[in-house]
Amino acid sequence: MTEYAIRQMEKKSNRGKLITLILLLYCLAVTLLYFLCEGKEGMGWLIWLAPFTIASVPISYYLNPAFVFIPLAVLAMSGWLLLHKKILFGREIIIGCMIVYLAGSLFFTPFYLLLASASWQAEIVKSVFGLSICGIIYPILVLIFLHWWNPRNK
C-alpha cells in the first residue's frame, strides 16, 4: 500500500473516531437533559432530539425510563473510552447499545403508527413518525462512523 493510501485511511479513521465521539456525547447530553428537564415548561422540543423517545413510552409503564436510557448512554460512552485506550471490547459495547436503541425504535414505531392511523388523524401519524426518526437515524450513524474508525485494524 502506498504512503498516500495509508495517510488517507488514517484521516478517515480519525474522522470516524471524532464523529463517533461527538455522536455519543450528543446522546449522553440529550439523555441527561431529557430526564432532568422532564415536565418543565418550554422543554417540549427536547423529545424530538432524543433517540429513545418512542421506546421510552412502553418502558414507562413498568419503570422509570431514566433507569434504562441513562446507563445505556453512559455505557456507550464508556465503550468509546475503552476503544480509545485500545481495549477492543468497547466496540461490542457500542454496537450493543446502538442495537438496543435501533430495536426499540424499529419495534415500537409500527405499533404506534398503527394505533395513530386507526384514529385517522394525520397530525398524530406525523408526530409518531417524527419521534421515531431520530431513534432510527442516530444508531445507524453511530454504527457507520464506528465502521469508519475501524479500531480492529489498528
Side-chain angles (χ1 to χ4, degrees):
M1 211 187 252
T2 66
E3 189 175 319
Y4 176 76
I6 292 172
R7 274 188 284 146
Q8 290 299 93
M9 282 180 42
E10 286 177 4
K11 284 170 98 176
K12 183 178 177 182
S13 177
N14 288 337
R15 269 187 257 136
K17 181 179 181 179
L18 179 65
I19 295 173
T20 303
L21 173 65
I22 290 169
L23 288 170
L24 293 175
L25 285 173
Y26 162 80
C27 181
L28 185 61
V30 166
T31 302
L32 290 175
L33 276 174
Y34 181 84
F35 290 114
L36 289 175
C37 300
E38 192 173 25
K40 292 187 179 175
E41 283 294 315
M43 296 306 275
W45 56 270
L46 202 52
I47 65 170
W48 299 98
L49 300 177
F52 53 82
T53 305
I54 288 290
S56 68
V57 175
I59 290 174
S60 67
Y61 292 125
Y62 302 105
L63 70 143
N64 188 353
F67 294 140
V68 175
F69 293 111
I70 290 176
L72 198 60
V74 170
L75 193 62
M77 193 64 222
S78 67
W80 188 91
L81 291 172
L82 286 173
L83 275 175
H84 182 68
K85 296 291 183 188
K86 307 272 192 263
I87 300 172
L88 295 178
F89 186 70
R91 181 174 178 262
E92 283 76 22
I93 293 173
I94 294 173
I95 290 171
C97 292
M98 294 307 115
I99 286 174
V100 170
Y101 281 125
L102 191 60
S105 293
L106 290 177
F107 184 76
F108 291 114
T109 299
F111 293 121
Y112 286 115
L113 283 174
L114 185 64
L115 288 172
S117 65
S119 67
W120 294 102
Q121 293 180 356
E123 292 175 12
I124 297 174
V125 173
K126 190 170 34 171
S127 294
V128 169
F129 185 68
L131 290 174
S132 64
I133 289 285
C134 187
I136 293 170
I137 292 175
Y138 169 76
I140 292 172
L141 283 176
V142 171
L143 292 174
I144 288 170
F145 288 112
L146 183 66
H147 176 70
W148 276 19
W149 181 5
N150 200 5
R152 293 250 187 227
N153 288 342
K154 292 227 172 197

